[in-house]
Amino acid sequence: MTHLCKMGKRQFVEAVARETARMSWPGQMGRILKAGTKKAVEEFFVCKATTEPWMRIWTDPTLPAGFDRWHKDLTSQLGEALKDGGHIKARRKN
């Protein structure tokens, strides 16, 4: 891996997105999500980080003010991506 000091902005944001995805994986998720979902979450974060407004973090000082809305929207998008990608296990009927 390229040393952080030698990375361009895009590479750095991608590295942060990968680490964010890894850290955001609660241990209990395996009970409700299928195998391969952890990789799908990482790919989701990297795609969002390198193609959407995440790059604005470096230039837009107003971004923190809208964090709660941004986080809620991103969480909803991740949930939809997991559902649409077939990553959620079927509920067991009691």
Side-chain angles (χ1 to χ4, degrees):
M1 183 164 147
T2 305
H3 190 275
L4 291 175
C5 293
K6 296 181 181 180
M7 287 183 175
K9 278 188 219 173
R10 183 182 174 95
Q11 287 176 303
F12 183 75
V13 171
E14 182 176 335
V16 169
R18 287 188 191 285
E19 188 61 21
T20 299
R22 289 182 189 125
M23 290 173 31
S24 69
W25 190 262
Q28 302 295 328
M29 296 303 287
R31 293 186 299 169
I32 60 170
L33 299 173
K34 295 178 181 178
T37 303
K38 190 170 189 174
K39 183 67 175 168
V41 169
E42 183 178 334
E43 290 170 4
F44 174 86
F45 275 104
V46 170
C47 178
K48 292 292 183 183
T50 57
T51 60
E52 294 209 9
W54 283 22
M55 294 298 289
R56 287 183 16 232
I57 291 170
W58 306 104
T59 58
D60 186 352
T62 65
L63 195 58
F67 177 81
D68 288 337
R69 182 179 45 82
W70 171 83
H71 184 266
K72 182 179 178 182
D73 291 346
L74 188 66
T75 302
S76 295
Q77 291 172 22
L78 174 59
E80 288 296 319
L82 293 177
K83 184 176 80 174
D84 294 347
H87 294 285
I88 300 174
K89 291 179 182 177
R91 289 185 180 186
R92 291 185 212 168
K93 294 183 180 180
N94 294 333

